[in-house]
Every structure is written in C-alpha cells, then in structure tokens.
C-alpha cells in the first residue's frame, strides 16, 4: 500500500516543512533521482544543478503530492525527469552521447532501490515491452530514459519524423492496452 | 477540439518527453487548468514508471544537500522577513532553470521577489546581477500603482547598445515580452506595466538583456547571457544568496 511507503510519510512531513524528514527523503531518494537526471543530461555538474532544483521543487510542492493518484517514487521521479528534460530541450547535449545511449538499452540491472518500487509493475511493464517490435520498444526507452527527441529518433532509426511519431503513438497505445488489461 | 484520444497521446508523449518544446510548454500550462489532462499525465507517469528501475542510482556530491538547504533557508528567511513573498518559490525554481540555460536564453531571467508594500518601505523587488559581482540593476515595482523604477547599481552605460527590460509569464505565452528599452539614464517608462494585472506581475519573471541600440530587432532577447542571483531585501540578509 502506498500509504505504508516511508517516502509517503516523509513527503507528508515535508509538506509541513519538516526539515528532518526532508533530509531523510533526500538520503533515500537523491541517488535515484540523480541517476535519472544524469542519464538524460550526461553532464555531472549540470545534473546536480537540476537535482538541486528538483529538491527545491519537492520542498515547495510536497503538499500537492496525492498518494491516491501517484506513488511517491513516481511523483519524485516525475519532478526530476521533467526538470531534466526541460533543461535538455533548452540546451541540448552533444550528440556523442547517443552511442552510449544505445549500449544502455538492453541493460537490465535491478538494484537495491527497486525494492521500494512495485516489482509486479516492473514485471508487467517488461512483459508488455516484450510484445512490442524491438525498434519501437527501443524508441520508447530511448525517449523515456535518455530524453531523445522525435528528431533524434528519426535520425537514428532512419525514418521520417512523422513515422516516428506514428510508431511512438502505436507503441504507447499498445503498452497502455497491455498494462491496463 | 482535441479528441479524448489525442489528449491521451499528448499526455503520453509529454511524459515520454518527445513533444516538441512548444507543445511541451503548452501541456505544462494546460495541465494546471485541465484536470483530465493532469490525470492522464499522472496515469502515464505511473504506467511507465517501472522503466526507471533500469536506472542505477548515482550518489550526489557530499555538499549538495547543504547547498539545497541553504537555498531553502533563503526562501524561508525571505518569506518570514516579509509577510508576503508572492510566489517566490516558483520564481526561484524558474530562475534555477534559467541559469542552467542562460546561454540559450540570452538574457538574464531573475527570480523576482515581489513584496507587499510595508508602511515604511518601498515594495521592492528584483536583482539583476552580472556574473558574481554586485547587482547590476534593482527593479522596484509598486504593485498598487503599477509603477516601476529601475536603479542601476553597478551597471554601466552600454555605449552603442541598449538595455532592454522583459517580462515573462505563462499567461503571456512561451516567450518573453518587452517591457521597454532603457534610456541612457537607465530609465524606462514608469507606467510601462500599467496594462498588466497585479496578479500576473506578482508571479512574472523579469529580465534585462543587452541589445543593439534601440532594442532587440527581433522582438526577443538577443543579448549576451548573464547570471542572476536573488538577494533578500530585508535587513541583515545581504550576505546570503542563492
């Protein structure tokens, strides 16, 4: 249950401006959020700036967290991802990063922090991804995890941008059907 | 009209991160007033969240939390020193973003502290800062009368160029809007903000850019990128900065 999640408790306390809870929340979640941001922005210093920005937002917005609508980790990761993607769109990284992005695709390395995530959800998502064509599954991963734009995907997969958009929409709809069923 | 299915794809691509920047910003604005869109975004965040399990945690630099705490101290201090620091927090997060992007933004976007008038003080405001030095400008806005005043602090005459003041707010669209070009005495029409409502002014972000003489030829900031720091305007707060 989400309400049993320690992160939920910390977020509720942070909403009341509890600094101790904020420190505990940071200790528990900052490495994960930095991992998310760094994968998108590549640059360590820039990623830490965005991590700082993200935690300031967490401090400010904790009262808006609604455990009936989001898991606490998902809520935190969304703040970090949105901040990182906004920063990336405003100032794109060099293209060199892309080859290493490709190398990262097949990696599946569950780690300790996964325990606080929903393992069933992970298994279900993996199963639904396996039902997608590999190219489309890779597109979704590269966009979500690495922040690739439609244009970057079009270049890499050697397809027109509109085709990429169509593929993404089909993949997303297929994922939705599979996940919601 | 946007079909429901289209709205869902908009939400999905927003979460995926693949929307073109204008659409992305539009979704960010729309979700605050469209609960259905917001709900769809949350659902997509939830659907795809297990992808994050692929990501290895990375330990932040040891001093980072202290930096975050100092920023928050600054925020809290500002709001306790002054009864109302209107939407300061949002301003600061925007400012943070803008410093990461100043070379693109090509202007300084500064967090603005809009303070309610107190009996003894002028309701002041924004600090426009050059590098790590003293502030370049102070912008004062009297919200009741919508009068603005710019005071140069260390800013020097721009020679063949002009300083231009900008305002940015979601309601005004994705790009900054010119408030006015400063004259050689660093003055701008004090009534230039009259047409904006007070609520918008309170949450807006202001910026000053260096432009070709007479102002930006494109209607958008083209000048050099500068960094800004927020200074609390209260007593004893001059040593803190964000």
């Amino acid at each position: 249950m989400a309400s049993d999640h320690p992160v939920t408790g910390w977020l509720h306390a942070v909403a009341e401006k509890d600094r101790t809870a904020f420190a505990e929340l940071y200790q528990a979640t900052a490495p994960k959020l930095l991992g998310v941001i760094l994968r998108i922005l590549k640059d360590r210093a820039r990623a830490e700036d965005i991590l700082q920005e993200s935690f300031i937002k967490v401090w400010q917005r904790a009262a808006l967290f609604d455990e009936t609508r989001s898991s606490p980790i998902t809520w935190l990761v969304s703040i970090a991802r949105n901040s990182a993607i906004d920063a990336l769109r405003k100032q794109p990284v060099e293209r060199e990063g892309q080859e290493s992005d490709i190398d990262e695709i097949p990696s599946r390395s569950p780690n300790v922090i996964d325990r606080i995530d929903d393992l069933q959800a992970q298994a279900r998502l993996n199963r639904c991804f396996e039902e997608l064509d590999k190219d489309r599954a890779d597109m979704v991963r590269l966009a979500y995890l690495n922040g690739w734009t439609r244009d970057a995907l079009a270049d890499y997969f050697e397809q027109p941008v509109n085709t990429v958009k169509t593929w993404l929409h089909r993949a997303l709809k297929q994922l939705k059907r599979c996940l919601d069923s | 009209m946007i079909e429901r299915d289209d709205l869902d794809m908009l939400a999905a691509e927003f979460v995926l991160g693949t929307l073109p920047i204008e659409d992305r910003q539009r979704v960010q604005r729309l979700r605050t007033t469209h609960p259905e869109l917001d709900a769809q975004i949350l659902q997509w965040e939830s659907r795809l969240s297990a992808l994050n399990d692929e990501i290895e945690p990375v330990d932040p630099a040891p001093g980072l939390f202290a930096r975050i705490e100092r920023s928050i101290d600054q925020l809290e201090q500002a709001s306790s020193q002054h009864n109302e620091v209107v939407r300061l927090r949002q301003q600061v997060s925007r400012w943070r973003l803008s410093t990461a992007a100043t070379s693109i933004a090509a202007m300084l976007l500064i967090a603005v502290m809009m303070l309610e008038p107190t009996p003894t003080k002028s309701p002041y405001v924004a600090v426009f800062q050059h590098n790590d030095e003293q502030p370049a400008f102070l912008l004062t806005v009297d919200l009741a009368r919508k009068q603005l005043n710019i005071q140069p602090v260390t800013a020097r005459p721009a020679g063949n160029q002009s300083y231009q003041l900008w305002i940015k707010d979601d309601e005004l669209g994705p790009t900054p809007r010119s408030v006015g070009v400063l004259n050689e005495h660093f003055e701008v029409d004090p009534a230039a903000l009259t047409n904006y409502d007070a609520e918008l002014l309170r949450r807006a972000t202001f910026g000053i850019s260096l432009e070709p003489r007479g102002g930006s030829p494109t209607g958008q900031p083209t000048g050099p990128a500068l960094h800004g720091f927020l200074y609390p305007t209260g007593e004893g707060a001059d040593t803190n900065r964000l």
Side-chain angles (χ1 to χ4, degrees):
Chain A
M1 287 297 292
S3 57
D4 296 331
H5 208 299
V7 179
T8 299
W10 289 324
L11 279 173
H12 289 327
V14 169
E16 304 293 321
K17 304 297 174 200
D18 180 334
R19 288 293 190 98
T20 309
F22 186 60
E24 287 171 333
L25 177 72
Y26 178 88
Q27 290 302 327
T29 61
K32 183 71 177 187
L33 299 196
L34 184 56
V36 167
I37 296 167
L38 193 56
R39 178 98 165 236
I40 292 169
L41 292 179
K42 315 295 178 201
D43 178 83
R44 179 70 190 234
R46 206 175 160 205
E48 292 200 338
D49 280 349
I50 297 301
L51 183 67
Q52 172 170 3
E53 179 188 307
S54 300
F55 269 94
I56 292 171
K57 287 179 185 166
V58 169
W59 176 258
Q60 294 162 342
R61 298 183 189 170
L64 300 176
F65 169 66
D66 180 350
E67 69 198 83
T68 66
R69 303 179 79 203
S70 293
S71 95
I73 294 294
T74 300
W75 189 80
L76 290 166
V77 166
S78 297
I79 287 179
R81 276 192 72 244
N82 281 333
S83 302
I85 288 173
D86 286 342
L88 181 67
R89 295 294 171 258
K90 290 185 179 172
Q91 193 176 343
V93 296
E94 301 296 321
R95 281 184 64 90
E96 291 88 274
Q98 298 203 351
E99 285 310 313
S100 64
D101 286 353
I102 304 296
D103 296 340
E104 285 171 329
I105 294 178
S107 76
R108 279 290 314 141
S109 47
N111 45 61
V112 180
I113 200 98
D114 284 352
R115 285 186 204 143
I116 61 175
D117 283 316
D118 184 342
L119 291 173
Q120 279 184 324
Q122 192 186 324
R124 196 163 64 232
L125 188 69
N126 284 338
R127 183 170 53 73
C128 292
F129 260 95
E130 281 163 17
E131 290 180 6
L132 297 177
D133 293 345
K134 183 171 185 312
D135 276 1
R136 295 184 192 182
D138 286 352
M139 275 190 182
V140 172
R141 281 207 162 89
L142 285 166
Y144 185 89
L145 293 169
N146 299 90
W148 283 31
T149 60
R150 285 178 191 161
D151 288 339
L153 292 169
D155 278 359
Y156 182 77
F157 289 94
E158 299 179 332
Q159 296 292 332
V161 174
N162 276 337
T163 305
V164 165
K165 182 178 166 182
T166 305
W167 285 10
L168 284 174
H169 284 197
R170 284 193 193 141
L172 289 163
K173 283 174 184 167
Q174 198 179 334
L175 280 175
K176 183 184 177 184
R177 269 197 305 276
C178 177
L179 289 166
D180 292 358
S181 63
Chain B
M1 283 301 295
I2 300 178
E3 299 288 330
R4 201 194 144 76
D5 197 40
D6 293 338
L7 197 65
D8 194 49
M9 279 299 105
L10 202 61
E13 274 210 85
F14 172 77
V15 172
L16 198 60
T18 45
L19 283 184
I21 182 94
E22 315 80 51
D23 291 348
R24 182 170 175 81
Q25 289 167 345
R26 194 160 58 99
V27 168
Q28 279 167 336
R29 283 197 302 277
L30 279 175
R31 72 180 296 190
T32 62
T33 51
H34 289 69
E36 189 187 4
L37 177 62
D38 190 55
Q40 284 170 320
I41 289 171
L42 293 178
Q43 284 163 13
W44 275 107
E45 286 174 351
S46 168
R47 281 186 196 109
L48 297 177
S49 64
L51 276 174
N52 295 305
D53 296 339
E54 299 187 15
I55 290 176
E56 292 290 340
V58 177
D59 286 333
L64 188 63
F65 187 64
R67 249 168 71 191
I68 292 169
E69 286 201 297
R70 279 199 300 277
S71 297
I72 289 172
D73 284 344
Q74 177 95 41
L75 287 169
E76 301 296 303
Q77 185 187 16
S79 59
S80 65
Q81 278 181 352
H82 307 285
N83 286 336
E84 192 179 25
V85 177
V86 185
R87 302 192 61 165
L88 172 60
R89 294 167 180 152
Q90 187 181 346
Q91 304 295 350
V92 170
S93 61
R94 280 189 198 173
W95 168 77
R96 277 272 151 220
L97 203 63
S98 74
T99 56
T102 38
S103 63
I104 294 289
M107 64 179 289
L108 73 170
L109 279 170
I110 310 296
V112 176
M113 288 170 44
M114 282 289 188
L115 308 174
E116 281 294 284
T118 60
T120 56
K121 282 184 190 169
S122 195
Y124 50 95
V125 204
V127 178
F128 300 106
Q129 193 182 36
H130 218 306
N131 300 326
D132 223 3
E133 303 156 6
Q134 291 297 304
F137 294 97
L138 288 173
L139 169 69
T140 309
V141 179
D142 176 337
L143 282 180
R145 296 187 298 127
K146 295 179 189 164
Q147 296 289 298
L148 75 89
N149 174 260
I150 293 179
Q151 300 149 31
V153 181
T154 59
R156 277 169 291 197
N160 247 349
Q161 295 176 292
S162 299
Y163 292 105
Q164 189 162 3
L165 177 65
W166 304 87
I167 184 170
K168 187 172 185 308
D169 180 75
D170 289 347
E171 203 176 285
L172 302 175
T175 54
R177 185 177 292 188
S178 176
V179 173
V181 179
L182 279 59
N183 69 18
E184 57 185 320
H185 306 296
F186 301 101
E187 292 161 344
V188 63
D189 177 6
L193 295 175
T194 315
N195 291 331
Y196 296 93
D197 70 49
E199 186 55 36
L200 186 150
L201 291 176
R202 288 178 190 203
R203 63 169 190 260
T205 304
F206 291 87
I208 293 179
S209 64
L210 194 58
E211 300 293 339
R213 193 174 183 82
S216 164
T218 66
Q220 283 299 307
T222 62
L226 296 170
H227 288 262
F229 290 100
L230 184 74
Y231 280 76
T233 52
E235 52 285 296
D238 56 332
T239 54
N240 294 307
R241 75 166 200 218
L242 251 113

